Amino acid sequence: MEHELLRKLRSAMAAAGHDALVAFSQDNVTYTAGFLVPSHASNRFRRTITVLAGDTFAAQIVVNVEENLARQRSRFSDIRAYNQFTQDPADVLADTLTDAGVGSGQIAIELDYMPAQDYIRLRERLPQAKFVPCRELYFNSRMVKTDEEIAVLEKVGRLTDLVVGEVLRQVRPGMTEKSVAQIIGNMMLEGGCDGLKCQVGSGVRSGITNCTPTDKAIEKGDVVRVEILGDMKQYRSNVTRTAVVGEPTDEQREIWSVMIGAREACKAMLKPGTAVADLYRCYVAYLRERGIEPTLKFLGHGIGQTIHEEPYITDTRTVVLEPNITCTMEPLYMIPGRMGFHVEDMYRITPTGFDAITGMITPNDELIRIG
Amino acid sequence: MEHELLRKLRSAMAAAGHDALVAFSQDNVTYTAGFLVPSHASNRFRRTITVLAGDTFAAQIVVNVEENLARQRSRFSDIRAYNQFTQDPADVLADTLTDAGVGSGQIAIELDYMPAQDYIRLRERLPQAKFVPCRELYFNSRMVKTDEEIAVLEKVGRLTDLVVGEVLRQVRPGMTEKSVAQIIGNMMLEGGCDGLKCQVGSGVRSGITNCTPTDKAIEKGDVVRVEILGDMKQYRSNVTRTAVVGEPTDEQREIWSVMIGAREACKAMLKPGTAVADLYRCYVAYLRERGIEPTLKFLGHGIGQTIHEEPYITDTRTVVLEPNITCTMEPLYMIPGRMGFHVEDMYRITPTGFDAITGMITPNDELIRIG
């Protein structure tokens, strides 16, 4: 029988009246094929495309240097390789859709990602076909995770929760942000990650939303913000902690208690049936009532094959929570030029509420003390 | 005065009769704006776009969460931020082109990268405009480096050349591929890189072209192939070395002498006026005359803001070498299921020949001995 995720995609396709579903982006292709073609991440001139059509047709288009690997690792057995220098992958796609018998059908395709040039060529080749977006279809399928996906998210999430605590215990004044990042890198890789990113911001740099680690030394009195984004088998973790070197000031304590209070108020709403827009409104109202204007226009985001995916927790989204949605919540408040506060954890919605994927090993209900 | 690279792009634009030049891809936007917008690398739903028009117009479009950083770090002073949830960046682009007075002009734009959806919207908004590809324009501008670019490439190249030698001296039988990768990671970051990738393949795994490091232990008799790809200030290095644990066999020595012989034959042609197609043909002929069929369909590739860029050294390209082109040459021969051989260095074309950017610190004229 076909893999669970392919059956899920076919049933969404059929429900929407599509004859075919075509993915171009790294995340949607990897989700569909079950493995990442290395060139897909490293070389934007090499297309990797998946095609599902009707009840049974499934093919993957890859650049010829990746053909052997795709034959070994893809969920698809029909692998169509093309020569990067002499063939147009859009022609291979047109031929594939014709072979599948859907050359004049309704084709759901990543219009928000596929290059304009491929779209222009495909319309020339298949003038009878109707091309419609598949963004929402993939968003909605990916949002609700299978047990297999949840197992990986839990593994990488818990490792990240452990590592962020271990590293903050090792930080001493005088260490640079880069050296902290290096410890994080080693521990995440030793723990079984395939890769990671991290942000370390200290002192005024904690007030920069995306703070790439620098040679700045961590000093007494600094707020230190550490965000870790792990990769494991194409699934991601995202955990952030805020610490202070020495004793926090009254101002820092007060701001932090508002951040944590907002998070707890939102946790109480984290269950099936809650609209993400209401969750966001609860967050914003909690902060504003206490004199804090939220820095970001969202409270959190779905997490899976990409760090950010649906549901974004914001009032511009209409998603209602349901079981096995995985997401983060990340109360964040930056005071540019002074300091920043940020706590982020991963959650899974259960039939009756939620499971915290992270936050049990390294809680941050109070500002973590360093030194 | 405008930055040298912007003047270069404007002059290529004018020569081709374009009224505007629009970039969407991470590499072309970063090349143009002089810095990487973090979201550009991490979130495919957030567009980052540069627009040059006429003699003076220059604007950069970024998602609003990146606005402050762009105002600090971009070469462009006209920063136009959009809200990811409520605005269509293609509309912001249409408005920008209209403001620049080129709404009905000839617009060179990344048709091979911009999403089809943005193209469809842009054509609706600017029905009088003519959209043409800018792929070759960017390829050709980026291929020939400025002194500023060469200085960074030399710095990251020499670091990589040093690190690959240091790490191979530390390898002992029993160490895993992943632990070798970890040492490489630490040394590259300590040396000033912002990031890196590396491949470590030992034993039969040396015969896999892209060999992600695993938990396999390195054993006596293994061929060990180490490829390092460094990132420094958005420029890349790419250096590969092949080593043997213990004494190489006669077969290994013979294959290696053919690889190095091919490289030396090609080096003799590495100067202005040589067609890359001829360089590739020389390589292929050298190997075939000695009974070896090259594994890859190219001998090397340009290197700069991306690992792979023009000129690809292959007979499907018409580029003729000129001063300040930077490229790699990478003789590579994989015997799947047995072992693989690969040596890669970086070169800069000079007015009379070439400078080897790498290979002076850690030569690989003979197979490197481990253990």
Side-chain angles (χ1 to χ4, degrees):
Chain A
M1 190 153 63
E2 257 194 338
H3 190 276
E4 182 178 7
L5 291 182
L6 297 183
R7 283 182 282 136
K8 191 168 154 183
L9 289 170
R10 277 195 210 278
S11 107
M13 239 174 80
H18 305 315
D19 297 305
L21 177 64
V22 180
F24 272 76
S25 65
Q26 184 183 318
D27 45 314
N28 283 337
V29 167
T30 304
Y31 178 80
T32 310
F35 95 111
L36 171 66
V37 173
S39 288
H40 208 169
S42 64
N43 187 322
R44 70 179 172 90
F45 299 108
R46 294 178 179 167
R47 306 274 193 276
T48 313
I49 306 169
T50 52
V51 181
L52 296 176
D55 292 331
T56 56
F57 187 91
Q60 184 168 18
I61 298 168
V62 300
V63 65
N64 54 358
V65 296
E66 303 284 14
E67 182 175 0
N68 289 338
L69 195 66
R71 291 196 185 283
Q72 286 165 37
R73 299 203 39 210
S74 176
R75 281 185 192 130
F76 291 60
S77 54
D78 182 351
I79 302 293
R80 302 181 178 211
Y82 73 94
N83 180 312
Q84 180 184 2
F85 300 116
T86 59
Q87 281 183 286
D88 184 341
D91 282 324
V92 181
L93 175 56
D95 293 339
T96 303
L97 290 166
T98 304
D99 291 351
V102 296
S104 53
Q106 176 169 308
I107 295 165
I109 191 164
E110 284 194 87
L111 294 178
D112 62 335
Y113 185 81
M114 73 180 296
Q117 170 184 298
D118 295 13
Y119 173 75
I120 294 166
R121 180 69 184 149
L122 210 52
R123 288 200 51 175
E124 280 170 13
R125 287 286 314 274
L126 303 176
Q128 307 298 317
K130 185 179 172 197
F131 297 100
V132 300
C134 62
R135 180 177 168 134
E136 297 299 323
L137 189 158
Y138 265 109
F139 274 167
N140 292 332
S141 292
R142 287 172 50 182
M143 195 164 68
V144 179
K145 269 66 177 180
T146 64
D147 292 347
E148 192 184 351
E149 293 182 285
I150 288 166
V152 184
L153 285 165
E154 286 179 345
K155 195 170 170 199
V156 66
R158 283 169 192 161
L159 171 69
T160 311
D161 193 9
L162 179 74
V163 166
V164 74
E166 284 287 325
V167 76
L168 283 169
R169 270 188 288 282
Q170 293 182 28
V171 174
R172 293 287 172 274
M175 284 171 70
T176 65
E177 293 170 354
K178 273 194 181 166
S179 62
V180 175
Q182 205 172 315
I183 299 171
I184 293 170
N186 285 340
M187 292 178 72
M188 291 291 284
L189 295 175
E190 273 164 24
C193 275
D194 306 311
L196 74 144
K197 290 208 179 76
C198 73
Q199 304 190 328
V200 181
S202 62
V204 296
R205 296 194 73 261
S206 67
I208 301 170
T209 309
N210 288 319
C211 46
T212 308
T214 67
D215 290 320
K216 179 192 169 301
I218 292 168
E219 295 166 70
K220 196 160 160 50
D222 276 358
V223 171
V224 179
R225 200 158 59 77
V226 173
E227 175 162 10
I228 305 181
L229 308 116
D231 298 340
M232 190 183 282
K233 297 180 183 169
Q234 303 309 319
Y235 286 82
R236 320 295 164 185
S237 63
N238 193 357
V239 172
T240 309
R241 296 290 178 264
T242 302
V244 180
V245 186
E247 201 61 30
T249 64
D250 287 346
E251 182 192 17
Q252 288 165 350
R253 265 189 242 271
E254 277 163 30
I255 292 171
W256 195 250
S257 78
V258 176
M259 296 284 109
I260 295 299
R263 186 192 69 185
E264 294 304 309
C266 292
K267 271 185 180 176
M269 295 176 66
L270 208 54
K271 59 187 173 198
T274 297
V276 294
D278 289 336
L279 201 53
Y280 176 71
R281 286 187 197 109
C282 161
Y283 166 65
V284 171
Y286 190 99
L287 260 58
R288 283 195 183 144
E289 279 161 19
R290 288 154 186 86
I292 287 181
E293 184 56 33
T295 299
L296 296 181
K297 300 294 177 217
F298 57 92
L299 163 64
H301 48 81
I303 186 161
Q305 293 236 347
T306 43
I307 297 285
H308 278 209
E309 56 186 51
E310 295 299 329
Y312 271 100
I313 302 176
T314 156
D315 57 2
T316 61
R317 289 295 192 273
T318 56
V319 174
V320 173
L321 294 178
E322 58 182 290
N324 290 342
I325 282 181
T326 49
C327 65
T328 72
M329 293 202 298
E330 52 170 326
L332 177 149
Y333 179 47
M334 301 285 118
I335 312 177
R338 290 190 62 213
M339 55 190 170
F341 300 88
H342 189 187
V343 60
E344 179 163 21
D345 281 291
M346 295 164 64
Y347 304 91
R348 173 174 74 89
I349 307 302
T350 63
T352 55
F354 70 91
D355 262 357
I357 298 176
T358 65
M360 309 302 278
I361 306 173
T362 307
N364 199 182
D365 296 347
E366 298 186 1
L367 287 162
I368 294 167
R369 306 288 180 84
I370 287 175
Chain B
M1 190 154 62
E2 255 194 340
H3 190 277
E4 183 178 4
L5 291 182
L6 297 183
R7 283 182 282 137
K8 191 168 153 182
L9 289 170
R10 278 195 208 278
S11 108
M13 239 173 81
H18 305 316
D19 298 304
L21 177 65
V22 180
F24 272 76
S25 65
Q26 183 182 318
D27 46 314
N28 283 337
V29 167
T30 304
Y31 178 80
T32 310
F35 95 112
L36 170 66
V37 173
S39 289
H40 208 170
S42 64
N43 188 321
R44 70 178 172 90
F45 299 108
R46 294 178 179 167
R47 306 274 192 278
T48 313
I49 306 168
T50 52
V51 180
L52 295 177
D55 293 331
T56 56
F57 188 91
Q60 183 168 18
I61 298 168
V62 301
V63 65
N64 53 359
V65 296
E66 303 284 13
E67 182 176 359
N68 289 338
L69 194 64
R71 289 195 187 283
Q72 285 165 37
R73 300 204 37 212
S74 176
R75 283 186 191 127
F76 291 61
S77 53
D78 181 352
I79 302 293
R80 302 180 178 214
Y82 73 92
N83 181 313
Q84 179 184 3
F85 300 116
T86 59
Q87 282 183 286
D88 184 340
D91 282 325
V92 181
L93 175 57
D95 293 340
T96 303
L97 290 166
T98 304
D99 291 352
V102 296
S104 54
Q106 176 169 309
I107 296 164
I109 190 164
E110 284 195 87
L111 293 178
D112 62 335
Y113 185 82
M114 73 179 296
Q117 170 183 299
D118 295 12
Y119 173 75
I120 294 165
R121 180 68 184 151
L122 209 52
R123 288 199 52 175
E124 279 170 14
R125 285 286 314 276
L126 303 177
Q128 306 298 319
K130 184 178 171 198
F131 297 100
V132 300
C134 63
R135 179 174 168 137
E136 298 300 321
L137 188 159
Y138 265 109
F139 274 166
N140 293 331
S141 292
R142 286 173 50 182
M143 196 164 66
V144 179
K145 268 65 178 180
T146 64
D147 292 347
E148 191 183 351
E149 293 183 283
I150 288 166
V152 184
L153 285 165
E154 286 179 345
K155 194 169 171 200
V156 66
R158 283 169 192 162
L159 172 69
T160 311
D161 193 8
L162 178 75
V163 166
V164 74
E166 284 287 325
V167 76
L168 283 170
R169 270 188 288 281
Q170 293 182 29
V171 174
R172 292 289 171 272
M175 284 171 70
T176 65
E177 293 170 354
K178 272 193 182 165
S179 63
V180 174
Q182 205 172 316
I183 299 172
I184 293 170
N186 285 339
M187 291 178 72
M188 291 289 286
L189 295 174
E190 272 164 24
C193 275
D194 307 312
L196 75 145
K197 290 206 179 76
C198 73
Q199 305 193 326
V200 181
S202 63
V204 297
R205 296 195 73 261
S206 66
I208 302 170
T209 309
N210 288 319
C211 45
T212 308
T214 67
D215 289 319
K216 178 191 169 302
I218 292 169
E219 295 167 70
K220 197 161 159 48
D222 277 359
V223 172
V224 179
R225 201 158 58 77
V226 173
E227 175 163 8
I228 306 182
L229 308 114
D231 298 340
M232 191 183 280
K233 296 181 183 168
Q234 302 309 319
Y235 286 82
R236 319 296 164 185
S237 63
N238 192 356
V239 172
T240 309
R241 295 292 178 261
T242 303
V244 179
V245 186
E247 201 61 29
T249 64
D250 287 346
E251 181 192 17
Q252 289 165 350
R253 265 189 243 272
E254 277 163 30
I255 292 170
W256 195 250
S257 78
V258 176
M259 296 284 109
I260 296 299
R263 187 192 69 185
E264 295 303 308
C266 292
K267 271 186 182 175
M269 296 176 65
L270 209 54
K271 59 188 172 200
T274 296
V276 295
D278 289 336
L279 200 53
Y280 176 71
R281 287 186 197 110
C282 162
Y283 166 67
V284 171
Y286 190 99
L287 260 57
R288 284 196 182 142
E289 279 162 18
R290 287 153 186 88
I292 288 181
E293 183 57 33
T295 300
L296 296 181
K297 301 293 177 218
F298 57 91
L299 162 63
H301 48 81
I303 186 161
Q305 293 235 347
T306 41
I307 297 285
H308 278 210
E309 57 187 50
E310 295 298 330
Y312 270 99
I313 302 177
T314 156
D315 57 1
T316 61
R317 288 295 192 273
T318 57
V319 174
V320 172
L321 295 177
E322 58 183 290
N324 290 342
I325 283 181
T326 49
C327 66
T328 72
M329 293 202 297
E330 52 170 326
L332 176 150
Y333 179 47
M334 301 284 118
I335 312 178
R338 290 192 60 213
M339 55 191 170
F341 300 87
H342 189 187
V343 59
E344 180 164 21
D345 281 291
M346 297 164 63
Y347 304 91
R348 173 174 74 89
I349 307 302
T350 63
T352 55
F354 69 91
D355 262 357
I357 298 176
T358 65
M360 310 302 280
I361 305 172
T362 306
N364 199 181
D365 296 348
E366 298 187 0
L367 287 162
I368 294 167
R369 306 287 180 84
I370 287 175

